[in-house]
Amino acid sequence: MNTGHHEENGYPAMKELFAANLIAAELCKLLTDENVLAQAAARAESQALLVLEKIRNILDNEEFSDPACFHRIEAIVDTLAENGIYTSRHDW
């Protein structure tokens, strides 16, 4: 039974598909723009260097004196997790 609502005619699905295509087209433009790619690469490299610096500081921290390095490992795992890098070996 057709009540005259556009939902029953598939219009919302067409609008969503159209919107997704527009977003995809804009994303393709951004991904092929050399400036955007260079900026993204620079940000990623900068973030990676910051994470490595934090890990180096953890390893050099004399306050972590436990023989098995549990606290250092925990601090490194936490640093990685704070930056979106997870491990299944530590799931606390």
Side-chain angles (χ1 to χ4, degrees):
M1 177 167 112
N2 188 346
T3 61
H5 292 272
H6 293 294
E7 292 86 6
E8 293 178 7
N9 296 324
Y11 290 113
M14 292 297 288
K15 287 180 183 178
E16 290 174 8
L17 183 59
F18 182 70
N21 283 331
L22 285 177
I23 292 168
E26 288 302 311
L27 185 58
C28 284
K29 287 180 193 176
L30 285 174
L31 292 177
T32 57
D33 183 331
E34 290 297 322
N35 291 330
V36 171
L37 292 175
Q39 290 173 1
R43 280 194 302 270
E45 182 178 353
S46 177
Q47 184 65 25
L49 290 173
L50 290 173
V51 171
L52 289 173
E53 176 73 17
K54 288 179 182 179
I55 291 172
R56 187 187 70 180
N57 289 338
I58 291 165
L59 292 172
D60 289 343
N61 188 339
E62 294 297 323
E63 291 179 20
F64 297 124
S65 61
D66 61 311
C69 294
F70 174 79
H71 296 292
R72 282 190 172 115
I73 293 167
E74 181 180 21
I76 291 169
V77 170
D78 289 344
T79 297
L80 293 172
E82 289 167 3
N83 289 278
I85 304 167
Y86 303 99
T87 176
S88 61
R89 302 261 316 188
H90 293 82
D91 57 356
W92 55 82

